[in-house]
Amino acid sequence: MRLLHTMLRVGDLSRSLAFYTQVLGMRLLRQQDYPEGRFTLAFVGYGEEHDSTVLELTHNWDTSSYDLGAGYGHIAIGVDDVYAACEKIRSAGGRIVREPGPMKHGSTILAFVEDPDGYRIELLGLK
């Protein structure tokens, strides 16, 4: 077994694709409209689907926002330098919601950014 993807419902697909590709540096791997169902699926990631876990962005055409609820936590992305990654994200217009620094009660360096729909993304230092 292998983890294939995580699906996020997004209110504005163009805005979300811009964030994940231009701000976080992922690539749009594939996208397809389903007119009869009134939704679009777009898959983004850092690698190909056959050997990497990716994100599925689902845009339901008649829904512009979602209540994220209290059950969702975050997606984690490993980076070489959390501080440098935050500066790059900030300069690209991304929103840092927890500045880089040591984890509470630990030494792991991390930060959190938020996508346009309010989903949190944790940046973790790989070193």
Side-chain angles (χ1 to χ4, degrees):
M1 289 187 218
R2 182 172 71 81
L3 187 62
L4 300 176
H5 64 260
T6 296
M7 185 270 268
L8 299 175
R9 289 184 175 89
V10 300
D12 180 328
L13 185 59
S14 295
R15 181 184 67 183
S16 293
L17 284 173
F19 175 80
Y20 284 99
T21 60
Q22 297 169 18
V23 176
L24 292 185
M26 294 182 186
R27 287 184 306 112
L28 175 61
L29 303 170
R30 62 185 169 103
Q31 179 175 330
Q32 184 169 348
D33 292 333
Y34 295 85
E36 289 184 16
R38 300 191 52 72
F39 68 94
T40 301
L41 300 181
F43 290 81
V44 296
Y46 294 110
E48 299 301 326
E49 290 180 78
H50 63 83
D51 61 4
S52 298
T53 303
V54 301
L55 289 178
E56 172 189 330
L57 304 178
T58 298
H59 176 242
N60 293 299
W61 299 354
D62 301 316
T63 306
S64 62
S65 66
Y66 293 92
D67 177 6
L68 301 185
Y72 174 78
H74 62 267
I75 297 164
I77 296 175
V79 298
D80 288 331
D81 181 331
V82 176
Y83 295 93
C86 283
E87 285 311 309
K88 186 175 179 182
I89 288 167
R90 190 183 331 271
S91 69
R95 182 168 176 241
I96 310 298
V97 295
R98 196 266 197 200
E99 291 295 328
M103 179 179 81
K104 193 175 193 179
H105 310 294
S107 59
T108 302
I109 302 298
L110 59 85
F112 278 89
V113 302
E114 199 170 79
D115 87 349
D117 288 282
Y119 293 110
R120 298 253 170 142
I121 297 126
E122 181 180 30
L123 304 176
L124 283 170
L126 293 174
K127 297 178 183 177

